[in-house]
Amino acid sequence: MLIQVLNGIAYGGLLYLLAVGLVLIFGLREIVNFAHGALFMLGSYIGFSIAAVFNFWLGLAGSLVAMTVIGIFLDAAVLRPLRKHDHMVTVLVTFGILLVLEAFATAVWGKSFRSMSAPDLLSGTVQIAGEPFPVYRLFVIGVSLCVAAGLTAWLRFSRVGLYVRASSVDPTTTAILGVDTDRLSLIVVGLGTGLAGLSGVVAAPLMALSPTMGNYILIESFIVVVVGGLGSFSGALAAALLIGQIHNFGAIYLPWASTMLPFLLMVGVLIWRPTGFAGKRT
Amino acid sequence: MYVTMINRLRTGAAIAATAALFVGGHTAHAAETLKIGVPTDLSGTYADLGNQVIRAVEFAVDEANAGGNSVEYKSLDTEANPENARRQSEKLIRDGYPIILGLIASGEGLAIAPMMERWGGLYVSTINKADGLTGEACEARVFRVNTQSAMDALTIKPWLDERKEKKWAVVAVDIAWGQGSSAAFATTAESAGKEMVGQFFIPPNTNDFAPYIQQVKDSGAEGIWVVLAGRDAINFAQQAKQFGLMDSVTVAGQSFTTDNTVKALGDVAKGIYGIINYSSTLDTPENKAFVEAWRKKYDSDPTNFEGETYVGMQVLLEAVQRAGSNDPEAVAKAMSGGEFDTIMGKLKIRAEDHQLLSPNYFGVVEEQDGVLRPVITMTATPDQVAPPVTCKM
């Protein structure tokens, strides 16, 4: 039982890592970034390539840095010039970026599946409640909790964090009060994309790498964002952990409905609280 | 979500066709191009398999054209979804590609099989495993050149008889293929005196296998039969390895540790048993020539799915030759009950259910000449694995 709960937390943690990047970008730019799954995929491949030459840890760090740079570029070159247009235009452009990145990955890494193993330090199992549990899943839980704690501290206690929160609530007023929202946006989109890269490498030892790998997990991340309340960080964490448990116990007790349950949860939450768990924004 | 379209016209064929126009029908047979529709998975769970299908079709088409024939193909993406398979196959046939080949999932084949007569097409299965396709759902215009689950089950029977593991469980993808293979395995295992302790069905495209792995461990199974392929196979194997499952139970599977999956998984795949439907190491002169030519074109060895697809193309092209026509009905007539020269030997298509009777293999993933690959340890002749006829055409 405890093992199953931990399994749910590990998968929820992975979903959170991916979803929180979406939340960051949505909060500031108010767009749903369809390219997020492709950025996750790209991060995964970058980590894979670095790890093949050096090691897993450099792959993790390298992907985080490379994807942050790509995120900053994405904001400066694509999202900022488009901000005066209807949000729908930007959403469509992010969909285009998704297609371009998939084609790029196919050209560079090929269509064949790749797999990446966990570093020696994290392979193997530990005994929890008399049952073996993979060390790597504990690592996934650890990373997601660290990211959650780090983000919360940053948003609560730093000046930039204050600006980000203010800008998420009302970008216009925040800008009038003298906050450079463009610079803020660079930081936030960079960070969000960097986290997509990080989650890509964290996910790599769990799932096959392929140019379309992002599509399979992005849907569940969207559900996390919607259930948590668009643009809410703590809501996303709660929603991710809940969906992790639903996924896990659904597969055991309601296998015939397991793929439906996250969607049913989303429909239920939207009826009960149309703004999601956090629900302060409309 | 988005459909990839590959439409390759051999320039040579186009020039030949233009030339035929000028000489005014002196070379009447060259003008009629054989058109093959290849609906396959180009972006879903089995995208890697679809890629192999395309390579093998392309290889066979180029080879035929170099030999003076005129063949072309067109491919559309189905994402291994039966509904898409139906739509894309109908589109291909409407566009003038009446001979369909290359669908991956059994559900796809079963979805288009009853339509072939009405659409005026012909379907040649090269990968679909579900027994029903040439069993209760058999159709006059449907042929299968690959082995069905019942044949794979007969192949593992002697191996199961010898194994000392008593308790077995099945881990299968929750689609027609997985359900059919699971049932076939359960029947064989019980006839070998084994006890089935669980059948776990997993939705395709699952990211996290942890809850299923935990249930397999709790079931007390000593051996598992895995019916997962493509992305699912890699995800399951990696995660099961991390849980220690791969080392604590005996693992065997169908289309599980295929050539490409073993390549992607590396050492994780070591020691896994499995059905091998085709191997580039088969020691026949025909196969050696094929592997040689394949290496020249692609700089790699043909995989199991590439070999099987090529067998399908060989049978199809020979049937067209014999029929002397590209008409699906005439080709079907030439196929039914015919014997064909393939890279796996001279093989017969049963007239009763349109199943090709081929040899089948079983083996284990280990190192051979420094390369980790599925290595054949047991060979079954076509007679040994011929499935019972259940089709009423």
Side-chain angles (χ1 to χ4, degrees):
Chain A
M1 188 69 173
L2 178 65
I3 294 281
Q4 294 288 19
V5 173
L6 280 175
N7 279 333
I9 297 176
Y11 189 59
L14 189 63
L15 287 179
Y16 170 74
L17 283 181
L18 190 59
V20 76
L22 278 171
V23 171
L24 275 167
I25 296 170
F26 183 85
L28 221 75
R29 281 292 187 203
E30 293 194 313
I31 55 140
V32 179
N33 182 13
F34 271 99
H36 206 68
L39 294 166
F40 162 84
M41 174 273 296
L42 191 62
S44 207
Y45 271 115
I46 290 174
F48 167 82
S49 293
I50 297 176
V53 182
F54 302 100
N55 61 44
F56 177 85
W57 304 105
L58 271 178
L60 197 69
S63 176
L64 179 64
V65 172
M67 293 309 293
T68 304
V69 172
I70 290 174
I72 290 171
F73 175 78
L74 181 75
D75 187 64
V78 181
L79 301 184
R80 190 185 301 169
L82 286 175
R83 93 198 121 158
K84 297 270 190 292
H85 294 274
D86 191 80
H87 286 158
M88 202 56 202
V89 175
T90 319
V91 170
L92 287 176
V93 167
T94 63
F95 193 73
I97 294 171
L98 158 88
L99 297 180
V100 170
L101 289 179
E102 279 186 8
F104 173 76
T106 307
V108 176
W109 289 282
K111 282 184 192 164
S112 295
F113 292 114
R114 304 295 183 94
S115 82
M116 183 167 150
S117 46
D120 289 341
L121 182 67
L122 301 177
S123 43
T125 54
V126 285
Q127 293 290 324
I128 294 179
E131 290 226 47
F133 188 76
V135 179
Y136 193 76
R137 282 181 189 254
L138 290 178
F139 170 71
V140 174
I141 294 173
V143 170
S144 43
L145 291 182
C146 285
V147 168
L151 266 181
T152 309
W154 181 62
L155 290 167
R156 285 264 166 264
F157 304 120
S158 77
R159 183 156 283 272
V160 180
L162 176 72
Y163 292 161
V164 170
R165 280 185 291 144
S167 187
S168 294
V169 176
D170 190 340
T172 316
T173 313
T174 313
I176 290 169
L177 291 173
V179 175
D180 184 349
T181 47
D182 277 342
R183 197 176 68 93
L184 216 52
S185 176
L186 276 187
I187 296 172
V188 165
V189 177
L191 184 63
T193 311
L195 284 173
L198 179 79
S199 58
V201 184
V202 169
L206 298 173
M207 55 189 71
L209 275 69
S210 73
T212 53
M213 67 186 282
N215 301 348
Y216 305 113
I217 198 163
L218 190 66
I219 306 281
E220 273 172 322
S221 299
F222 275 144
I223 296 176
V224 166
V225 174
V226 171
V227 169
L230 286 165
S232 160
F233 298 96
S234 49
L237 182 62
L241 291 175
L242 180 64
I243 286 176
Q245 295 305 331
I246 284 180
H247 161 79
N248 201 59
F249 284 99
I252 301 170
Y253 296 110
L254 286 173
W256 55 273
S258 64
T259 45
M260 228 174 359
L261 290 175
F263 294 96
L264 288 178
L265 173 76
M266 182 170 78
V267 171
V269 166
L270 287 180
I271 291 170
W272 168 59
R273 277 182 87 130
T275 47
F277 284 173
K280 50 179 186 265
R281 227 162 283 125
T282 46
Chain B
M1 190 151 54
Y2 30 86
V3 169
T4 323
M5 203 171 85
I6 306 163
N7 186 3
R8 294 207 179 125
L9 259 166
R10 289 275 301 166
T11 334
I15 295 169
T18 322
L21 279 177
F22 283 106
V23 294
H26 284 291
T27 49
H29 71 277
E32 201 190 342
T33 303
L34 173 65
K35 290 184 162 184
I36 304 169
V38 188
T40 193
D41 185 358
L42 298 172
S43 62
T45 324
Y46 306 132
D48 184 50
L49 280 70
N51 190 26
Q52 295 171 60
V53 166
I54 300 285
R55 275 156 54 106
V57 169
E58 173 116 2
F59 178 87
V61 166
D62 285 356
E63 191 183 53
N65 286 328
N69 298 295
S70 172
V71 186
E72 64 177 74
Y73 79 94
K74 179 173 172 176
S75 168
L76 294 176
D77 189 8
T78 67
E79 296 177 56
N81 171 322
E83 199 38 58
N84 290 346
R86 228 166 109 125
R87 210 181 58 239
Q88 302 290 48
S89 302
E90 185 174 14
K91 187 169 188 317
L92 284 164
I93 294 176
R94 289 238 170 99
D95 288 352
Y97 294 81
I99 294 173
I100 300 291
L101 179 147
L103 291 171
I104 309 280
S106 293
E108 299 181 274
L110 290 166
I112 70 158
M115 313 303 292
M116 294 322 282
E117 199 121 36
R118 191 194 303 172
W119 292 343
L122 171 76
Y123 174 54
V124 183
S125 155
T126 49
I127 296 183
N128 305 159
K129 289 281 187 192
D131 298 338
L133 190 66
T134 46
E136 67 261 31
C138 66
E139 293 283 340
R141 296 283 189 92
V142 175
F143 294 81
R144 167 153 48 199
V145 301
N146 60 303
T147 61
Q148 53 175 278
S149 285
M151 296 164 79
D152 288 348
L154 285 167
T155 308
I156 57 158
K157 175 80 171 34
W159 178 77
L160 266 182
D161 281 337
E162 280 176 14
R163 298 301 302 188
K164 52 183 188 307
E165 296 85 0
K166 272 260 157 255
K167 294 177 177 170
W168 285 79
V170 172
V171 177
V173 61
D174 198 5
I175 57 176
W177 168 45
Q179 287 146 5
S181 177
S182 177
F185 178 82
T187 311
T188 310
E190 271 152 17
S191 78
K194 311 292 181 191
E195 185 196 342
M196 292 301 295
V197 293
Q199 298 190 35
F200 303 100
F201 293 105
I202 304 173
N205 276 327
T206 290
N207 292 316
D208 181 25
F209 284 80
Y212 306 100
I213 293 167
Q214 197 60 41
Q215 287 182 85
V216 172
K217 294 178 91 170
D218 294 345
S219 75
E222 297 157 326
I224 53 172
W225 176 248
V226 184
V227 194
L228 298 169
R231 188 180 128 84
D232 292 338
I234 295 172
N235 291 2
F236 174 76
Q238 264 188 314
Q239 296 177 26
K241 179 84 180 175
Q242 288 165 4
F243 272 92
L245 181 69
M246 303 303 254
D247 302 313
S248 61
V249 299
T250 301
V251 186
Q254 182 189 39
S255 302
F256 177 44
T257 41
T258 56
D259 289 311
N260 272 10
T261 301
V262 170
K263 216 161 121 193
L265 281 174
D267 279 345
V268 173
K270 216 174 198 169
I272 298 177
Y273 296 91
I275 291 289
I276 300 170
N277 296 127
Y278 166 82
S279 166
S280 60
T281 59
L282 290 179
D283 195 14
T284 66
E286 295 86 357
N287 184 54
K288 280 184 169 159
F290 165 64
V291 172
E292 199 57 41
W294 184 278
R295 281 183 185 152
K296 231 174 245 158
K297 185 173 170 77
Y298 292 119
D299 197 27
S300 64
D301 286 353
T303 64
N304 55 310
F305 291 119
E306 286 164 348
E308 283 183 276
T309 306
Y310 183 70
V311 169
M313 290 296 288
Q314 281 189 305
V315 169
L316 173 64
L317 293 171
E318 198 175 332
V320 168
Q321 208 106 55
R322 271 186 223 165
S325 152
N326 297 339
D327 176 51
E329 200 178 346
V331 177
K333 220 170 175 176
M335 270 196 178
S336 183
E339 280 200 41
F340 300 88
D341 286 312
T342 74
I343 48 170
M344 298 176 81
K346 200 171 182 70
L347 305 177
K348 187 180 175 183
I349 292 187
R350 276 203 303 220
E352 297 92 329
D353 62 353
H354 292 175
Q355 170 68 49
L356 181 83
L357 299 181
S358 61
N360 206 6
Y361 311 90
F362 182 84
V364 62
V365 178
E366 57 185 43
E367 262 180 45
Q368 192 182 45
D369 306 326
V371 187
L372 196 67
R373 67 187 315 161
V375 176
I376 294 174
T377 56
M378 263 169 49
T379 301
T381 63
D383 289 341
Q384 284 170 335
V385 294
V389 175
T390 55
C391 157
K392 291 185 195 74
M393 224 168 294

